[in-house]
Amino acid sequence: MFCGVKGETMDVITAFLLTFPIVFVISLLFDGIDRKIHARMQRRVGPPIIQPFYDFIKLLNKERIVPAMASSQIFTVLPTLAAASSILSSAILFTSVMSGTSFGGDLVVVFYLLAMSSVLVTIGGSSSGNPYGAIGFSRKMTMLIAYEVPLLLSFLSVFLKINSTSYYNAILTQVKVGSMLALAFPSMAVSAVAFLLCIPAAADAVPFDVSEAKTEIIYGPLVEYSGPYLALFKLAKASSNLSLTFLACTLFFYLPALFGDGDSLWLGAFIVCLLLALILWFLTITVPRTVFARMKVGQAFKFYWIVALPLSVIAVVLSALGL
Amino acid sequence: MGIVARSRVKSPWIFHLNTGSCAGCDIEIVAALTPRYDAERLGCVLVGSPRHADVLLVTGPVTRQMLPRFIRVYEQVPEPKVVVAVGTCASSGSPFLGGQMVEGPVDKIVPVDVYVVGCPPRPEAIVKGIVTAVKKRFG
Ligand code: SF4
């Protein structure tokens, strides 16, 4: 099942278990850095970098309220599931990079887990019995159709290029070529652009946050969630952002590949990738959410189907042609 | 201070409720959140849903129309919560006290932790009111 080159099974399991606290800390930390940079770009002092940890602990210790109108079981189970699936997606990616192991089709699994966590949030919102939750649900579904298709096509072009659906093979390919995937092949460059364009929508960042739209439909799906449930959703969002950016930087911009194969520096490679993920987070989430105002649902949808979708189709075609 | 108490002091999320104010206080609350006064450096975030809030900022002298809604919103805020009465209207009800349509001031209806007086109070005073309230309650 494993197609690793370096990892022993025990090492892989240890690395996998180790990733959960790492994902928790790193995703909240990156969220804090994001808020700090956002504040600095607006010429504010901004909250401390560990602010998300304060928020998380505070929310965990607040009262939990389940509205009388909500279907209570769905409402209470979904936050845990959403957090679990997005943390798992980051954990799979981290384990691959740290232990040099992966299993066939793990990219597909990660793709599903990421989509899953955003779908679960919206289903939770629609089960709350609040009309804003229902509006958020319909808007999120529209956005899912808008960005998941280009995202999936972008994955597909990578699969065609590396002839495999396994994550570590993508990294191995870059090590073998001795260059980043996005620099080595024109098809991958186009695919990377499409992927990066999809990140703000997948992260519900401001120009595309139509489903949460704080000032318009008061956080949409999250409107009725309080206390620990909200904390779990915040964690789910932060770690899904982390896994999106980490995936983008390792899939297309695996920097350690430029310095030969990373056999001796697996931890170093991991840290370089994390820093790169932070830079991508800044470029694809922080900058758009500071610079742009929110789009309407139709505009956001149009953007993805007019700009990102053709790009990803071109990437698939180029990749199928072997470029 | 324990880690939970510290987190509560460091992350007061604000919900703003207008119970019939003239909007003077509300504008000042908005001003307190702008980049110039930057309440977010203290962890304050303006949230749109009472379910997410820790601090209820109440402005205005609670009119009869607002009374049931005010109580409902107060109950929607999860425990532990803090109430800050912003403005002279909310604190004492003055000039509207005893008016035909006025049920307030706020502390007649729900327990109030901090009163920020002024008509309207300055943004600095509002930020200080929020910080004082959470420190007094959780610190
Ligand atoms: S205190 Fe003054 S500014 Fe505030 S609501 Fe009352 S009248 Fe308006």
Side-chain angles (χ1 to χ4, degrees):
Chain A
M1 177 185 172
F2 292 110
C3 62
V5 277
K6 295 182 275 180
E8 299 291 320
T9 316
M10 257 345 271
D11 286 355
V12 175
I13 292 172
T14 330
F16 185 62
L17 292 180
L18 240 158
T19 48
F20 284 91
I22 295 180
V23 171
F24 174 77
V25 172
I26 301 268
S27 56
L28 289 186
L29 197 66
F30 279 14
D31 199 25
I33 295 174
D34 164 66
R35 277 175 73 177
K36 188 78 181 177
I37 297 175
H38 177 64
R40 295 303 300 156
M41 286 170 84
Q42 295 177 335
R43 295 241 172 152
R44 291 190 284 131
V45 178
I49 285 172
I50 51 169
Q51 184 65 41
F53 292 93
Y54 290 137
D55 293 349
F56 188 78
I57 296 169
K58 176 205 74 181
L59 286 172
L60 272 192
N61 289 288
K62 273 184 84 82
E63 186 190 3
R64 32 183 110 190
I65 298 176
V66 179
M69 295 277 281
S71 39
S72 60
Q73 275 176 356
I74 298 180
F75 186 81
T76 50
V77 167
L78 286 186
T80 322
L81 284 182
S85 59
S86 67
I87 289 181
L88 193 60
S89 70
S90 313
I92 291 175
L93 300 177
F94 281 17
T95 316
S96 288
V97 176
M98 288 202 318
S99 65
T101 315
S102 74
F103 54 90
D106 57 355
L107 276 178
V108 182
V109 174
V110 168
F111 177 79
Y112 266 95
L113 286 174
L114 283 173
M116 186 83 156
S117 83
S118 34
V119 170
L120 288 179
V121 175
T122 49
I123 292 177
S126 73
S127 77
S128 70
N130 190 312
Y132 287 121
I135 295 174
F137 178 78
S138 84
R139 287 186 173 194
K140 184 72 196 185
M141 284 301 146
T142 316
M143 282 311 287
L144 273 177
I145 296 168
Y147 75 78
E148 289 287 320
V149 179
L151 198 62
L152 186 60
L153 287 176
S154 159
F155 269 90
L156 195 65
S157 68
V158 176
F159 295 161
L160 287 173
K161 184 88 249 163
I162 62 174
N163 257 329
S164 146
T165 53
S166 125
Y167 177 54
Y168 198 64
N169 273 358
I171 294 175
L172 276 185
T173 313
Q174 304 185 57
V175 172
K176 231 179 277 164
V177 181
S179 166
M180 304 177 191
L181 217 46
L183 295 183
F185 306 102
S187 64
M188 289 299 101
V190 180
S191 172
V193 172
F195 193 105
L196 293 183
L197 284 178
C198 290
I199 289 182
D204 273 329
V206 155
F208 306 112
D209 72 332
V210 286
S211 69
E212 289 189 1
K214 174 176 160 184
T215 47
E216 191 182 333
I217 53 167
I218 39 180
Y219 298 107
L222 299 181
V223 65
E224 288 287 348
Y225 277 103
S226 64
Y229 304 130
L230 190 61
L232 286 172
F233 275 144
K234 297 266 173 206
L235 179 64
K237 192 168 160 189
S239 62
S240 93
N241 290 0
L242 176 66
S243 78
L244 274 169
T245 47
F246 191 79
L247 186 62
C249 83
T250 42
L251 219 48
F252 299 108
F253 309 101
Y254 189 70
L255 194 63
L258 297 180
F259 311 113
D261 86 344
D263 236 16
S264 55
L265 49 109
W266 57 274
L267 193 62
F270 176 65
I271 290 170
V272 168
C273 288
L274 270 186
L275 289 179
L276 214 58
L278 183 61
I279 294 171
L280 280 188
W281 186 315
F282 169 71
L283 289 177
T284 57
I285 298 177
T286 317
V287 170
R289 96 186 174 97
T290 314
V291 173
F292 297 114
R294 184 180 312 115
M295 288 181 172
K296 291 184 225 158
V297 191
Q299 289 171 324
F301 192 85
K302 233 190 234 165
F303 175 81
Y304 279 102
W305 279 56
I306 290 181
V307 180
L309 187 63
L311 275 178
S312 59
V313 170
I314 292 170
V316 171
V317 171
L318 286 180
S319 170
L321 292 176
L323 284 169
Chain B
M1 210 191 296
I3 183 158
V4 176
R6 196 179 156 76
S7 308
R8 281 181 180 153
V9 171
K10 289 276 192 178
S11 147
W13 288 4
I14 305 163
F15 182 75
H16 160 220
L17 181 70
N18 177 338
T19 62
S21 98
C22 74
C25 290
D26 309 81
I27 301 278
E28 296 303 313
I29 289 175
V30 175
L33 297 159
T34 52
R36 183 169 179 85
Y37 297 101
D38 188 24
E40 204 195 351
R41 74 183 190 277
L42 305 164
C44 300
V45 178
L46 185 72
V47 292
S49 161
R51 296 266 193 238
H52 304 180
D54 309 292
V55 180
L56 195 57
L57 288 187
V58 190
T59 58
V62 195
T63 56
R64 186 166 298 163
Q65 280 286 317
M66 260 327 267
L67 182 66
R69 280 113 186 151
F70 175 31
I71 292 172
R72 188 161 170 202
V73 168
Y74 178 78
E75 281 166 354
Q76 279 175 342
V77 179
E79 291 287 347
K81 58 191 160 198
V82 172
V83 179
V84 178
V86 176
T88 309
C89 285
S91 303
S92 69
S94 73
F96 308 108
L97 190 65
Q100 200 181 1
M101 294 301 167
V102 173
E103 305 275 354
V106 172
D107 58 5
K108 227 164 102 185
I109 299 150
V110 298
V112 175
D113 293 86
V114 163
Y115 303 87
V116 183
V117 290
C119 180
R122 290 189 60 86
E124 293 98 323
I126 296 174
V127 174
K128 185 162 185 215
I130 296 165
V131 173
T132 315
V134 286
K135 280 214 175 118
K136 181 181 147 203
R137 189 69 178 276
F138 309 126

